[in-house]
Amino acid sequence: MDTGLKGKNVLVPGSSSGIGLAIAQALAEEGANLVLAARRGDVVQAEAAKLPSAAGIGLDLNADGAPAALVEAAEKAFGPIDVLVLNGGGPPPGGAADVTDEQALAAAHQLLLQHIRLTSLVLPGMRERGWGRIVAVGSSGVQQPLPNLALSNIGRAGLAGYLKTLAAEVAADGVTVNMVLPGRIDTDRVASLDAAAAKRTGSTPEEARRSSEAGIPAGRYGKPEEFAAVVAFLAGTPAAYVTGEQIRVDGGMVRSY
């Protein structure tokens, strides 16, 4: 399939490792110009150097003014952004009954407000050019809230509502807006969640992982590249009639339709 991404300019925050890096690599294979960004500037620059046409930017997206600084640097590298991938780390685990005002505000800032700001910066140009893709990395918790991940459930559900509303507003302008929901993808983030679950239950991380895998019909954790392939499709021209959708990549873990 020709995704039509050759020469398109793509911005992928949170791309020094895991899902974000896999997405950047998948889009690079399609011929896109990649801007990778993450707090670990040395790591993200090293990863960018491995790709045919890419730049790495060291930046903490949660910092004040970071979205504007990131978009400015990305456009300086390659020009206006055609594809924006909304991605970043998640808040720490914890139950809903223990959520404080400070934690809730921090989660909203990290998972919702900074992504809205990024989107607002690149969206006018996309609409003016009549083509654009916004693809957000969410969580299966958007559709089936995950135990002990209250802050993630709160923040990502808010982002899902924003994106669904936005999708209808910009569809006629040639801009699509979608969300891809990972289940248990084999990344450092999921490994840390397994370690937290093991500590909570008095087991080992290996036992926590096996317990999680037992609840997945596919019987295993997903690979980052399997998730990235879905993002690459949604970012391309063949997916022009797909918008406002939430697509799970979870091996059948969520049992609802």
Side-chain angles (χ1 to χ4, degrees):
M1 179 185 295
D2 181 5
T3 59
L5 287 168
K6 187 174 182 179
K8 296 292 188 184
N9 301 328
V10 182
L11 173 57
V12 188
S15 48
S16 61
S17 63
I19 284 176
L21 178 57
I23 290 170
Q25 292 169 337
L27 295 175
E29 289 177 2
E30 298 301 321
N33 304 314
L34 268 297
V35 176
L36 290 73
R39 285 174 294 181
R40 298 182 295 170
D42 55 340
V43 175
V44 80
Q45 288 164 12
E47 293 295 346
K50 300 174 186 177
L51 303 177
S53 179
I57 298 172
L59 178 142
D60 181 357
L61 190 58
N62 291 318
D64 292 340
L70 177 55
V71 170
E72 181 181 0
E75 291 182 341
K76 184 177 180 180
F78 292 112
I81 302 301
D82 300 302
V83 179
L84 171 63
V85 178
L86 298 175
N87 178 56
D98 300 322
V99 170
T100 65
D101 289 359
E102 183 179 3
Q103 290 172 329
L105 289 170
H109 183 270
Q110 178 183 13
L111 299 177
L112 176 60
L113 293 179
Q114 295 298 72
H115 291 321
I116 290 176
R117 288 165 179 156
L118 270 179
T119 301
S120 297
L121 289 163
V122 303
L123 187 60
M126 291 180 176
R127 299 179 83 175
E128 183 179 343
R129 295 188 299 276
W131 199 98
R133 299 287 184 266
I134 298 169
V135 186
V137 178
S139 165
S140 60
V142 169
Q143 296 183 352
Q144 180 175 295
L146 297 166
N148 207 50
L149 285 177
L151 293 173
S152 177
N153 294 335
I154 292 167
R156 298 190 197 281
L159 181 62
Y162 163 73
L163 294 174
K164 181 64 174 178
T165 306
L166 180 65
E169 295 175 0
V170 301
D173 299 320
V175 180
T176 67
V177 183
N178 293 289
M179 198 171 202
V180 188
L181 310 180
R184 305 293 283 188
I185 306 298
D186 201 358
T187 63
D188 290 343
R189 162 72 172 173
V190 169
S192 71
L193 293 176
D194 284 343
K199 184 177 181 180
R200 200 168 58 250
T201 60
S203 61
T204 67
E206 294 74 20
E207 290 170 334
R209 174 167 178 148
R210 286 195 294 270
S211 178
S212 290
E213 289 176 333
I216 303 172
R220 63 176 178 86
Y221 284 3
K223 300 174 183 178
E225 56 267 30
E226 293 172 324
F227 184 91
V230 178
V231 175
F233 169 71
L234 292 173
T237 54
Y241 205 56
V242 181
T243 195
E245 298 299 325
Q246 295 175 1
I247 300 176
R248 293 195 302 265
V249 183
D250 69 350
M253 184 179 74
V254 175
R255 302 306 174 94
S256 64
Y257 290 110

